[in-house]
Amino acid sequence: MPTETFEFQVEARQLLQMMIHSIYSNKDVFLRELVSNASDALDKLRLEALRDDSLGADVSDLHIDLEADPEARTLTVRDNGIGMSRDEVVQLIGTIANSGTAKFLRELKEAEDGAATEGLIGQFGVGFYASFMVADEVTLLTRRAGESQGTRWVSSGAGTYTVEDVEDAPQGTSIVLRLKPVDTEDQLHDYTSRWKIKEIVKRYSDFITWPIRMAAQPATTVGADGDSDTDTDTAAGTDADAEVSGAAAAEPETLNSMKALWARSRDEVTDEEYSELYKHISHDWTDPLETIRLQAEGTFEYQALLFIPTHAPQDLFMQGYKRGVQLYVKRVFIMDDCEELMPSYLRFVKGVVDAQDLSLNVSREILQQDRQIQLMHRRLAKKVLSTVKDMMSAAPDRYATFWREFGRVLKEGLLGDFENRDAILNVSSFATTHDKDEPTTLARYVERMRDGQEHIFYLTGESRQAIENSPHMEAFQAKGIEVLLLTDPVDEVWVDAVPEFDGRQLRSVAKGEVDLGTEEEKQEADTEREKEQQEYADLLTWMTGRLGENVKEVRLSSRLTVSPACIVSDTHDVTPALENIYRAMGQKIPQVKRILELNPKHPLITGLNRTHTERPAEAGLEETAQLIYDLALLAEGGELADPSRFVRLMADRLERTL
Ligand code: ADP
């Protein structure tokens, strides 16, 4: 195939433009990204060679090579890993597959200031494209293991790239960066400087499990003209490179220690090292919010190093989001996204689990049935939840970040994970009428409960404002009783599945009868209620008959103070919002009839009762009954079955007021 020129996908082009103009201040990370990709490619080759004998790839010395040429101003990152086919190069390098990208780029456009943009880039991570922060041209030469044809990809990052076939490419991938010019004095950003490269590798990639090697520079380029590399090395007080200036320095040096951080004790590892491992695993450029270590000893030995990110990824709620941690067996990488180790509601947790007693050939099918894996899954989930619990008291700000980013996902656990239900409830926070800004835990809510209050009250809805203005809230507001305001879609579902917290029922203020106040108040209310009940008995029977198609009962309300009427559900009935969710999931469920409650103190209702008693045959009574129902439906944000009839009736009534 001849050389072809391609255009980058629109999103890729946008991202490249940002890289070329280097809005990210820490340019050193480009090397971390390339080394990280190379390391993944080595992992993949090793696994594929295990699975497929006929691959014919040499896996005896898998490693990463770095090569700097100060004169040509190039830096080469080479691996003898899996490589890419021509199609893969076009697919993987020319486009951005990440499903959250579109959203990310939209936000990026909206972010006006540099710091915000940089933060967003950091959350997203840009991988290979980070090369264009430091290079004005990048050449990628690659051959996929098992294929004979190699591919060369060249681009300056500006709109297009070329792809051509290459006959004699070595297996794996080499990436040659033609570095942008730097000030000769600028040691800090000279990426051909041996000292600089070593420093970056040490800082960001030390834990990589494959050797990262760097050939000693030939003696001819060192010395006479005052080679800066050796000078800097001396200046930095390291002596490891002493041999560089010697002509015999042919042995490549391995720059990383390759130590598995999860197998080392806490005091041997710095926070920065943990952070860098996290970044390698997660492709996130931001430090993790929390690092969790777990060392299980005994018959089934394993180590886990888990991370809670600082930001929820853009695609956390999209289908196909890859969850799970990396699985290693005895320090050897086995698979990414091992979902068997983490419940879905903790899908944002990243990290490594290294098990001592699994087979290196372990497959997903085996994992799904393995009892040890199930035990690990349980233990890891508990560990994450207990870490969040600790965070609540030890680092409230970090917990607040956690909850803002991941609360919505965590609450999914209230549906399926019965064993950890209390643990999840204990680390959950909810918006509340008690405080406009600060969410509350259930424990705090319970502490504040009024004398005589038996239940934990909540209301679900679209937004805080919609809930606060709902007629269902009136009596609670009047009596100053705290109500939790639940606005996440998942809230509709879990509240139905969780009967109680700390022995108190969770009760929707839009369901069942309300019965508020102290014993004394309740008794008073009961007496008054009885009186009203007699006064309204006929009206209620009549209205129940009239509106029978829509409601199963019309009754008097004790939850309204301002509105004439509202619609409520029976305590154990499905709410309309939940009905909608089930329907959206394709489940057929019958429409549940609800209850219309009337406010016996509202002039509209007292007037209606009077007319109904005095002139039961009065034309218009039926219309009024219908209108009251429609108004109640509108007040809770519901949709009218027949809006045009409503408009007609309303217009007619308004006309009569003029
Ligand atoms: P990410 O690493 O976040 O997926 P990149 O843009 O860095 O994004 O890389 C895109 C894809 O290109 C990788 O997922 C991988 O499939 C492929 N790739 C990149 N570098 C290499 C490499 N050195 N060897 C083999 N494949 C690579």
Side-chain angles (χ1 to χ4, degrees):
M1 242 188 267
T3 306
E4 282 184 274
T5 303
F6 291 88
E7 279 191 12
F8 283 105
Q9 169 208 32
V10 182
E11 287 87 3
R13 206 155 55 216
Q14 269 175 279
L15 210 52
L16 279 165
Q17 277 308 307
M18 287 179 223
M19 290 300 108
I20 291 170
H21 297 112
S22 291
I23 51 166
Y24 199 73
S25 55
N26 181 9
K27 298 186 180 47
D28 293 359
V29 299
F30 84 92
L31 188 56
R32 171 188 74 192
E33 299 297 306
L34 295 182
V35 166
S36 183
N37 281 346
S39 163
D40 290 346
L42 295 168
D43 285 334
K44 283 183 198 154
L45 177 62
R46 200 193 56 78
L47 287 176
E48 198 157 317
L50 263 181
R51 256 183 257 124
D52 179 4
D53 302 336
S54 62
L55 194 65
D58 179 8
V59 294
S60 60
D61 180 29
L62 298 180
H63 67 279
I64 299 163
D65 261 328
L66 303 180
E67 199 180 300
D69 184 336
E71 259 153 41
R73 289 208 50 72
T74 59
L75 175 66
T76 304
V77 179
R78 187 182 303 117
D79 66 70
N80 53 355
I82 189 80
M84 286 174 270
S85 66
R86 181 176 175 124
D87 286 349
E88 282 172 330
V89 171
V90 174
Q91 256 306 310
L92 298 170
I93 305 293
T95 63
I96 302 169
N98 187 312
S99 47
T101 309
K103 186 168 171 245
F104 161 74
L105 286 165
R106 262 201 314 279
E107 283 181 26
L108 209 54
K109 257 195 214 144
E110 282 159 21
E112 303 258 303
D113 62 306
T117 322
E118 183 159 334
L120 282 165
I121 289 263
Q123 282 174 52
F124 182 74
V126 289
F128 172 75
Y129 289 171
S131 316
F132 289 97
M133 294 194 295
V134 299
D136 51 25
E137 186 184 82
V138 177
T139 304
L140 176 144
L141 179 65
T142 184
R143 178 165 68 81
R144 196 170 195 304
E147 292 186 7
S148 54
Q149 186 85 261
T151 307
R152 179 182 289 114
W153 177 101
V154 184
S155 179
S156 63
T160 62
Y161 59 89
T162 60
V163 174
E164 67 182 304
D165 292 342
V166 173
E167 289 311 324
D168 51 358
Q171 176 211 304
T173 304
S174 75
I175 292 165
V176 183
L177 309 181
R178 198 177 73 196
L179 297 166
K180 292 181 187 176
V182 283
D183 197 328
T184 39
E185 300 300 307
D186 187 4
Q187 285 295 323
L188 275 180
H189 294 102
D190 182 3
Y191 298 112
T192 62
S193 151
R194 185 179 186 78
W195 163 81
K196 180 70 185 169
I197 293 167
K198 281 178 75 168
E199 187 214 50
I200 300 178
V201 170
K202 260 289 179 229
R203 160 141 359 131
Y204 296 112
S205 312
D206 191 57
F207 55 84
I208 293 285
T209 47
W210 305 103
I212 304 169
R213 295 181 192 149
M214 189 160 174
Q217 271 152 4
T220 47
T221 65
V222 182
D225 54 16
D227 176 76
S228 52
D229 299 331
T230 32
D231 288 347
T232 324
D233 261 334
T234 320
T238 56
D239 57 359
D241 280 341
E243 85 270 30
V244 165
S245 48
E251 276 293 299
E253 182 189 2
T254 299
L255 306 185
N256 56 328
S257 74
M258 294 183 275
K259 280 191 200 141
L261 298 187
W262 52 92
R264 291 158 73 187
S265 68
R266 177 67 187 88
D267 50 5
E268 281 181 84
V269 185
T270 65
D271 289 349
E272 207 185 356
E273 285 177 298
Y274 282 136
S275 278
E276 290 312 329
L277 176 67
Y278 163 74
K279 289 174 189 172
H280 167 64
I281 292 171
S282 65
H283 298 228
D284 181 355
W285 288 16
T286 330
D287 289 338
L289 185 68
E290 194 68 50
T291 302
I292 306 170
R293 292 165 36 86
L294 186 104
Q295 312 259 4
E297 282 159 19
T299 44
F300 192 69
E301 203 181 308
Y302 61 90
Q303 291 116 15
L305 189 54
L306 305 178
F307 300 98
I308 299 175
T310 300
H311 303 280
Q314 304 282 358
D315 50 351
L316 192 58
F317 286 95
M318 293 188 189
Q319 249 191 354
Y321 176 78
K322 289 224 171 70
R323 75 173 147 115
V325 295
Q326 291 188 337
L327 177 67
Y328 279 67
V329 171
K330 297 189 258 302
R331 312 275 181 277
V332 177
F333 174 80
I334 302 295
M335 68 176 72
D336 264 325
D337 321 313
C338 181
E339 0 181 301
E340 287 72 21
L341 287 173
M342 214 34 90
S344 161
Y345 69 90
L346 296 178
R347 59 184 176 273
F348 52 87
V349 173
K350 303 283 174 196
V352 173
V353 173
D354 191 342
Q356 304 306 303
D357 304 310
L358 286 177
S359 148
L360 283 172
N361 292 320
V362 69
S363 66
R364 288 200 189 256
E365 290 68 41
I366 294 174
L367 286 178
Q368 273 156 17
Q369 288 151 27
D370 191 287
R371 226 183 69 80
Q372 299 289 4
I373 293 286
Q374 285 158 13
L375 289 175
M376 283 163 81
H377 172 115
R378 281 179 64 190
R379 175 107 189 255
L380 294 173
K382 282 192 193 310
K383 180 75 184 176
V384 173
L385 291 172
S386 70
T387 305
V388 176
K389 181 106 208 285
D390 294 344
M391 217 162 39
M392 286 175 101
S393 47
D397 286 352
R398 283 227 300 285
Y399 165 75
T401 304
F402 169 83
W403 189 255
R404 192 187 63 228
E405 297 293 319
F406 302 112
R408 229 153 38 108
V409 198
L410 200 77
K411 284 186 284 187
E412 291 174 12
L414 293 170
L415 290 170
D417 191 347
F418 301 106
E419 196 183 322
N420 290 314
R421 179 174 281 169
D422 283 340
I424 299 172
L425 283 176
N426 273 314
V427 299
S428 295
S429 293
F430 306 97
T432 167
T433 51
H434 174 75
D435 191 317
K436 229 164 69 341
D437 307 307
E438 289 276 311
T440 181
T441 60
L442 292 178
R444 293 256 163 74
Y445 179 102
V446 170
E447 278 166 27
R448 284 190 296 266
M449 276 168 58
R450 294 292 179 85
D451 280 350
Q453 181 182 347
E454 289 164 32
H455 310 304
I456 296 172
F457 292 106
Y458 68 84
L459 185 56
T460 57
E462 291 275 310
S463 66
R464 180 173 186 119
Q465 201 194 7
I467 298 179
E468 281 178 334
N469 293 335
S470 157
H472 301 112
M473 296 284 287
E474 289 172 9
F476 293 83
Q477 275 155 344
K479 289 212 154 54
I481 292 176
E482 181 172 357
V483 178
L484 302 176
L485 310 168
L486 309 182
T487 54
D488 289 333
V490 64
D491 292 330
E492 294 288 351
V493 196
W494 75 256
V495 289
D496 255 28
V498 174
E500 54 162 56
F501 170 79
D502 195 14
R504 317 205 188 220
Q505 282 183 21
L506 277 93
R507 280 280 189 96
S508 166
V509 303
K511 275 185 159 191
E513 303 264 2
V514 291
D515 186 10
L516 303 172
T518 60
E519 279 310 312
E520 213 170 291
E521 286 170 333
K522 281 182 198 166
Q523 257 172 15
E524 245 171 62
D526 279 351
T527 324
E528 198 183 336
R529 202 66 192 284
E530 239 164 75
K531 223 178 81 209
E532 284 169 348
Q533 204 62 46
Q534 283 170 0
E535 278 170 36
Y536 281 90
D538 283 350
L539 178 74
L540 296 177
T541 317
W542 174 77
M543 264 181 96
T544 305
R546 289 299 108 187
L547 297 172
E549 243 180 69
N550 299 316
V551 296
K552 61 178 165 192
E553 189 191 349
V554 180
R555 70 185 181 204
L556 295 182
S557 183
S558 49
R559 70 184 94 219
L560 297 174
T561 59
V562 184
S563 303
C566 69
I567 304 174
V568 303
S569 298
D570 244 348
T571 312
H572 300 292
D573 278 352
V574 173
T575 60
L578 192 55
E579 259 180 56
N580 287 340
I581 290 176
Y582 284 140
R583 293 222 174 84
M585 293 189 315
Q587 288 188 26
K588 285 202 181 75
I589 57 163
Q591 177 120 34
V592 180
K593 281 191 192 173
R594 296 162 75 211
I595 298 160
L596 179 66
E597 286 195 349
L598 305 179
N599 178 356
K601 301 203 169 44
H602 193 283
L604 176 55
I605 305 300
T606 49
L608 177 68
N609 195 33
R610 200 170 49 242
T611 313
H612 180 257
T613 316
E614 291 168 6
R615 305 189 297 278
E618 168 109 3
L621 266 182
E622 206 167 320
E623 273 177 19
T624 309
Q626 180 65 46
L627 277 173
I628 289 171
Y629 170 76
D630 288 351
L631 289 172
L633 200 57
L634 286 176
E636 65 168 18
E639 277 176 37
L640 300 178
D642 188 350
S644 63
R645 180 183 57 176
F646 174 79
V647 171
R648 209 165 352 96
L649 291 180
M650 214 41 191
D652 188 42
R653 298 274 164 127
L654 287 173
E655 199 183 302
R656 278 188 253 155
T657 65
L658 301 174

